[in-house]
Amino acid sequence: MEVTKQLVMHYFTGKTTPEQNRVVERWLALHPDNASMALEWINENAAEDDEANLADLMMSREQVWSGTQERLLNAEDNRKTLLIPHSNQYKLKRYLAIAASMLLISSLCWMWLKQSKTIYIQAAYGQTRYITLPDSSQVVLNGNSRLRYPALWAGGPREIWLEGEAFFDVKHLRTGSTFTVHLSDGKDIQVLGTQFNVIDRHTRSCIVLKSGSIRLSLAGKEKPVYLRPGDMVRINDNGSQVTAKEVVNPETYSSWTQGRWRLDGTSLGEMLQKIEENYGVTVQVENQELLTKRASGSIPLSSINAQTLIEDIASLFELHFIKKDNQLILAQ
C-alpha cells in the first residue's frame, strides 16, 4: 500500500482502517524524513483550513493514537512477565519504535499548533501551485519556488517572503493595510492592491507590474523605485540597484500562470534559462549563436517534465533534440 498525502491526512483525522494505521505508522517510524514530510503536509493543510479546523485535526489524531499507545504499553508490561520467543522480540521492538516515533510526531504537531504562526509552501520542479492568502489575495507559485507568511493577519501589515517566482493578485483592503513581499538581499515590494510578477532567483531578479502601482525598496538605497503598469525592472545580483527599466507587455511575463508561455521576441537563451530555473533541467546547445535566436507565439507548458517543452522549443526553432551521455542537447 502506497503512503500518500491523502492517506496520512486521513490517518491524522482518524479515517483510516487498522491496516492503514499500521502502514502509516511503519512509514513514519522508518525514517525521520517521513515524519518531516507528514508535518509539511499538515502545514499545507493549515494553508487551506482555519486554525480551529487544524486544532480538531490534531485532537482527533491524539484520540486515534491513544488506543494504539495503550496497546503497546500493555505489550511492554506483558514482556516483563512472559517469555517472548526470539522471533517476536524484533516485532515488539519495532512496535515500540513506532510508538516513540508517533509520540514525537504528536508532540511536534501540538507544539506547531500552539507556537508556530508561519505557513510554508513550496512548489516542486515543474509544479504550479495556486494559493489563497489570509486576506483573500491570490498567489500563483512557479516551479522550484518557496514562500512563507504568517498564518493569521489580524488587520495589521500583510507580509510574505518569496524565493523563486510568483504572480501576485493583491486584494485592496478598505483599511489601507500595506502588503509587502520580501525578497533576497533586502529587496522589498510594497503594494496596496495590484497584480505583478516577481522573479527572484540566484541568477537574476526582475519585477513586472501588470496593474496598480508598487514601490520597490533596495538594500542601502534611501530612494525607492516606483513602477507603473507595464514597467519591468531588472535588479543586480546583490540587490543594490536597478540595472534596467523598460516598458513591456505584462501578459508575456505572467502567461505561465495560465499553463502557457507567451513569446514576444523571446530568445532561445531566455527559454532555456527558465527551463533550468523551473524544472531543474539544463539544456546544452552545440552553437552558442543559437541562444540569440528569437521567436514569437506561445508554447504549452508541461507539469510532468521538461522534455515535451524542450521538444516543442526545438521544433519552434527547427532544431534537433538529442540525448547524449546524460546530456540534453539542441543542435541544427
Side-chain angles (χ1 to χ4, degrees):
M1 183 185 300
E2 181 182 2
V3 176
T4 63
K5 175 184 175 181
Q6 183 180 27
L7 177 61
V8 171
M9 296 310 296
H10 283 174
Y11 170 81
F12 273 91
T13 51
K15 299 176 182 177
T16 44
T17 65
E19 175 61 25
Q20 289 173 326
N21 287 343
R22 288 190 289 271
V23 170
V24 174
E25 288 164 8
R26 289 167 185 165
W27 177 79
L28 289 167
L30 185 62
H31 195 280
D33 287 348
N34 294 343
S36 298
M37 178 64 72
L39 290 176
E40 181 179 337
W41 286 337
I42 293 172
N43 272 329
E44 293 174 358
N45 188 82
E48 301 167 359
D49 299 329
D50 58 35
E51 193 168 1
N53 287 338
L54 184 60
D56 291 341
L57 181 152
M58 291 302 174
M59 292 305 296
S60 64
R61 184 58 226 137
E62 289 287 340
Q63 295 168 2
V64 170
W65 176 242
S66 62
T68 305
Q69 180 185 357
E70 183 178 354
R71 290 195 300 273
L72 291 172
L73 290 176
N74 289 337
E76 171 65 8
D77 291 338
N78 292 335
R79 187 185 64 84
K80 296 177 181 179
T81 57
L82 299 175
L83 180 62
I84 301 177
H86 182 75
S87 60
N88 291 335
Q89 289 181 10
Y90 173 79
K91 293 182 180 179
L92 178 59
K93 291 179 180 179
R94 186 62 174 167
Y95 288 141
L96 292 175
I98 293 172
S101 175
M102 284 305 304
L103 287 173
L104 174 62
I105 293 170
S106 180
S107 299
L108 287 174
C109 291
W110 187 251
M111 289 174 61
W112 177 91
L113 176 63
K114 289 295 185 181
Q115 300 177 9
S116 174
K117 299 297 180 182
T118 303
I119 302 298
Y120 296 86
I121 298 179
Q122 179 170 337
Y125 283 119
Q127 183 184 29
T128 302
R129 300 194 62 175
Y130 298 84
I131 303 149
T132 300
L133 299 176
D135 65 344
S136 297
S137 295
Q138 305 291 320
V139 181
V140 187
L141 194 64
N142 209 346
N144 186 31
S145 301
R146 290 158 291 281
L147 60 80
R148 59 183 173 91
Y149 57 90
L152 299 175
W153 287 346
R158 299 169 287 172
E159 294 184 282
I160 191 166
W161 285 258
L162 170 69
E163 299 175 43
E165 182 174 5
F167 179 82
F168 290 84
D169 186 351
V170 180
K171 183 177 181 179
H172 177 69
L173 301 181
R174 292 182 178 180
T175 60
S177 176
T178 58
F179 188 105
T180 303
V181 181
H182 300 287
L183 307 176
S184 62
D185 301 315
K187 302 185 293 288
D188 291 327
I189 301 172
Q190 190 175 89
V191 306
L192 286 176
T194 186
Q195 295 179 321
F196 58 99
N197 197 82
V198 184
I199 299 175
D200 193 39
R201 304 284 191 184
H202 295 300
T203 55
R204 62 180 178 138
S205 182
C206 75
I207 302 161
V208 179
L209 180 62
K210 183 175 181 179
S211 66
S213 62
I214 62 177
R215 183 179 71 181
L216 173 64
S217 300
L218 302 176
K221 295 288 184 180
E222 296 182 2
K223 188 176 180 180
V225 178
Y226 292 89
L227 278 70
R228 296 179 178 179
D231 283 348
M232 179 182 74
V233 296
R234 299 186 187 275
I235 307 164
N236 65 352
D237 291 343
N238 60 17
S240 62
Q241 66 179 6
V242 171
T243 58
K245 185 177 181 180
E246 57 185 295
V247 178
V248 299
N249 182 352
E251 298 292 344
T252 301
Y253 293 85
S254 61
S255 60
W256 62 269
T257 64
Q258 306 300 319
R260 302 187 71 84
W261 273 357
R262 180 171 176 174
L263 310 176
D264 186 8
T266 308
S267 71
L268 175 61
E270 291 172 319
M271 297 181 203
L272 298 186
Q273 181 181 33
K274 290 186 71 67
I275 288 176
E276 184 170 359
E277 291 172 346
N278 300 336
Y279 291 86
V281 175
T282 301
V283 182
Q284 308 292 335
V285 294
E286 285 191 341
N287 184 350
Q288 294 297 305
E289 293 181 359
L290 294 174
L291 296 175
T292 61
K293 284 193 169 187
R294 298 181 177 275
S296 296
S298 67
I299 297 179
L301 296 176
S302 170
S303 61
I304 302 174
N305 56 60
Q307 180 168 327
T308 302
L309 180 57
I310 298 171
E311 291 173 348
D312 287 342
I313 291 174
S315 177
L316 181 65
F317 286 94
E318 298 182 344
L319 300 174
H320 298 290
F321 175 44
I322 305 170
K323 290 183 178 181
K324 181 180 179 181
D325 299 330
N326 295 323
Q327 287 187 324
L328 304 180
I329 304 170
L330 291 179
Q332 290 179 314

